[in-house]
Amino acid sequence: MPHSMPLLATLAIGFVMAFLFGSLAQRLRTPPLVGYLLAGMVVGPFTPGFVADAGIAGELAEIGVILLMFGVGLHFSLKDLMEVRTVALPGAIAQIAFVTLLGYGFGWSLGWSPMDGLVFGLALSVASTVVVMRALEERRLLDTRRGKIAVGWLIVEDLAMVLALVLLPAVAGSMGAGDGKGGSIWAALALTFVKVAGFVAVMLIVGRRVIPSMLERVAATGSRELFTLCVLAIALGVAFGAAKLFDVSFALGAFFAGMLLNESELSHKAAADSLPMRDAFAVLFFVSVGMLFNPGILIAHPWLVLATLAIIIIGNGTIAFAIVRLLKLPVATALTIAVSLSQIGEFSFILAGLGLAQGMLSQQGHDLILAGALLSIIANPFLFTWLARWQARNIAGTPLPPKEAAPGPSLDLDAHAIVIGYGRVGSTLAGLLRDRGMPVLIIDDNIDHVVRAHAAGIPGIRGSAASDQVLAEAQPGKARIAILAIPQPLEAGETLAKLRAINPALTLLARAHSDAEVEHLMKHGADGVVMAERELAHSLAEMVMAAPAAMPAA
């Protein structure tokens, strides 16, 4: 290259390798996150070939952390937490304490410093929200009682880790992080609490009024670009301001920004508009984590890796199972929570990165955390498969308890219409079909839409229509017609192909917004595709020609 362009090279190589390894992981039925970590290892300093700029990758990863924490705050639901507080609160706190002690003891046996053991144990105690949410959604468990307990448990873990990210640097500073220096730990903690309290007060008094109001004003302009820019400016601006003005972490600032936006009626739009940017930088975050991992530890210290993995899977799983059973909940619920928590992910990476950067964690401890995370995420789908088989053997044919069953009309239909998407188009269509006497079943990945359908007396399934399990529940083999009312052509195309394979005689209709989308959907099996803009133009033309003033003079 004529000029050195480390930023462009890091972005280009990072995204390309992440795509390749993420696609490979998806084909192997493992979470794409595993592929992103492997991509980072490939471009990292511990493997031959191209080595990405670690400094630039670290800064890009920091943006990923900010947007990840912004998303956590944006989806934070105090209502969901309060519904399961009697299980999630004591359970998560006890589980974090138990596993942290296990990790601390492991570090002590290796001669690590107390701070090394503390950070190591904390990192092994928090499950990946990304992995758990995806696993529960794929298995149709999110709306069940045990799914809600798992989500509430994750919320408590996330809040605990946000607090840990704020307090650990203060504790490390007071203890000298192993360098023999350090002042009073209580003075350091008191100063940190004062700074955090000042930031929280400003956010609750000023931010609570300014941020939602700013978003509503920008939304009123009708500019999607300005709205998206406003969301990103709030996330990054509040995080940066929190770090510079109050000396608190980027993570805490971004979390609060998301939490305050969550109170706005525009929070769903904010989440949707920021999602592509959040996903992109989250990918770079995982790639940068992979760059810091030395795979040589798998060969040099295999027993230490296995011990770390045992703490993650057996330690987290056992204590979670025991707590849930002590609270007199069913074995199936206890096993679901145990399996869900038997892996670690993004918060563990953030803690490990913080510990390594500030001298609170050794390189060996950092590598063991990453190795344990990688192996536990790979193992987690197999644990869920085992759980499904156990349930099929032990509780097959038995009805779920009332609190466990998803509410709504019966899904046992015949010669019915499957409407995929219950937004403005799908809800109107489903209502018209039902009024004409046709049984209707809807599929939507938005729980609010499914609840609205149930309230209207229409059976609904929450999940992605491209999921084999969700489609099977809709019984396309017995259906008469399926209409895809979703505006996402890629998901619609995949769903069409699966429906056609299940029932070749099924009539398939879809919607599109361009000629290219029409062609794509027809190639994937649609019998007919309606292009919204074209139909709108035809309707307007008919209205114009029907108006007397519009007719040409004789």
Side-chain angles (χ1 to χ4, degrees):
M1 290 188 293
H3 302 288
S4 176
M5 294 186 287
L7 174 60
L8 180 59
T10 301
L11 282 171
I13 300 298
F15 279 129
V16 169
M17 298 305 292
F19 169 71
L20 293 175
F21 281 90
S23 299
L24 178 62
Q26 186 78 19
R27 289 184 68 84
L28 295 175
R29 296 186 177 278
T30 58
L33 188 152
V34 174
Y36 307 151
L37 293 171
L38 292 175
M41 290 167 52
V42 170
V43 300
F46 301 105
T47 53
F50 173 82
V51 177
D53 188 302
I56 290 176
E59 289 193 28
L60 293 173
E62 198 69 63
I63 298 175
V65 171
I66 290 171
L67 294 177
L68 274 172
M69 292 304 302
F70 179 68
V72 171
L74 203 55
H75 292 97
F76 174 75
S77 173
L78 187 61
K79 179 185 175 185
D80 288 348
L81 177 58
M82 295 308 290
E83 282 183 8
V84 294
R85 64 187 182 279
T86 55
V87 180
L89 274 171
I93 292 170
Q95 175 243 327
I96 291 171
F98 177 78
V99 176
T100 299
L101 283 174
L102 285 181
Y104 184 90
F106 178 79
W108 175 81
S109 70
L110 295 177
W112 293 356
S113 71
M115 183 54 65
D116 273 314
L118 177 63
V119 175
F120 183 78
L122 275 173
L124 301 190
S125 70
V126 56
S128 167
T129 303
V130 174
V131 173
V132 174
M133 295 292 281
R134 188 163 297 175
L136 293 176
E137 187 168 7
E138 285 177 354
R139 291 159 181 83
R140 308 283 296 113
L141 293 172
L142 264 183
D143 299 325
T144 64
R145 170 73 172 167
R146 48 192 159 143
K148 290 180 178 179
I149 291 173
V151 172
W153 200 300
L154 288 172
I155 290 172
V156 178
E157 283 191 346
D158 289 353
L159 290 175
M161 290 309 114
V162 169
L163 186 62
L165 290 173
V166 173
L167 297 180
L168 276 177
V171 175
S174 66
M175 296 176 66
D179 60 6
K181 302 176 183 178
S184 167
I185 185 172
W186 299 112
L189 286 175
L191 180 60
T192 300
F193 273 118
V194 168
K195 291 177 179 178
V196 172
F199 169 70
V200 171
V202 170
M203 291 300 290
L204 291 180
I205 296 171
V206 180
R208 197 171 195 172
R209 293 176 173 83
V210 173
I211 290 177
S213 174
M214 182 193 308
L215 202 65
E216 287 169 10
R217 287 177 181 274
V218 173
T221 66
S223 171
R224 182 173 181 177
E225 292 83 358
L226 279 178
F227 185 86
T228 303
L229 188 59
C230 180
V231 171
L232 294 174
I234 289 170
L236 296 172
V238 171
F240 185 78
K244 287 297 179 183
L245 299 178
F246 296 92
D247 198 27
V248 300
S249 67
F250 287 126
L252 182 64
F255 175 79
F256 258 89
M259 196 169 65
L260 292 181
L261 265 186
N262 189 26
E263 297 182 4
S264 168
E265 294 180 358
L266 297 167
S267 60
H268 289 298
K269 180 171 173 54
D273 283 11
S274 64
L275 187 61
M277 185 72 74
R278 196 165 76 234
D279 285 349
F281 279 97
V283 166
L284 288 178
F285 164 68
F286 292 122
V287 170
S288 71
V289 169
M291 287 175 61
L292 297 174
F293 175 56
N294 183 0
I297 197 169
L298 297 172
I299 299 171
H301 302 289
W303 295 111
L304 296 185
V305 172
L306 286 175
T308 302
L309 185 63
I311 293 174
I312 295 169
I313 294 179
I314 300 175
N316 281 303
T318 301
I319 186 64
F321 180 86
I323 292 168
V324 176
R325 289 296 289 151
L326 281 173
L327 294 171
K328 304 188 186 307
L329 291 172
V331 174
T333 300
L335 284 174
T336 301
I337 305 302
V339 170
S340 297
L341 302 177
S342 296
Q343 44 75 35
I344 60 174
E346 56 274 6
F347 261 116
S348 304
F349 302 146
I350 296 171
L351 279 169
L354 175 69
L356 189 65
Q358 299 206 8
M360 297 184 288
L361 182 67
S362 66
Q363 182 65 52
Q364 184 184 54
H366 181 273
D367 290 341
L368 286 173
I369 290 170
L370 265 59
L374 193 66
L375 294 174
S376 66
I377 291 171
I378 291 173
N380 201 245
F382 296 102
L383 292 176
F384 266 107
T385 300
W386 169 83
L387 175 62
R389 289 175 179 170
W390 179 89
Q391 288 177 312
R393 285 197 310 269
N394 292 276
I395 57 177
T398 60
L400 293 172
K403 288 185 179 179
E404 195 63 0
S410 171
L411 300 175
D412 188 16
L413 302 175
D414 192 22
H416 57 289
I418 302 172
V419 176
I420 298 170
Y422 197 71
R424 288 176 298 179
V425 175
S427 58
T428 302
L429 177 62
L432 290 171
L433 291 174
R434 190 184 59 169
D435 290 345
R436 285 162 174 74
M438 178 174 281
V440 178
L441 179 150
I442 68 103
I443 299 174
D444 200 298
D445 58 6
N446 187 319
I447 182 60
D448 294 333
H449 290 177
V450 176
V451 169
R452 188 152 50 88
H454 287 172
I458 299 174
I461 302 170
R462 184 191 178 188
S464 169
S467 164
D468 293 337
Q469 189 171 354
V470 170
L471 276 186
E473 215 170 325
Q475 304 181 78
K478 297 165 62 179
R480 181 185 303 176
I481 188 170
I483 306 104
L484 286 87
I486 54 176
Q488 295 87 11
L490 295 179
E491 182 181 348
E494 184 181 356
T495 306
L496 284 167
K498 289 183 176 182
L499 286 169
R500 181 62 71 209
I502 295 171
N503 185 355
L506 189 65
T507 300
L508 299 176
L509 303 177
R511 62 180 283 195
H513 290 281
S514 68
D515 291 328
E517 289 183 10
V518 172
E519 183 180 356
H520 172 77
L521 296 172
M522 294 296 289
K523 281 182 178 179
H524 280 74
D527 294 304
V529 180
V530 174
M531 192 165 86
E533 287 79 1
R534 183 180 295 155
E535 295 303 317
L536 176 61
H538 288 166
S539 296
L540 286 173
E542 289 178 5
M543 292 173 68
V544 167
M545 298 308 294
M551 297 300 291

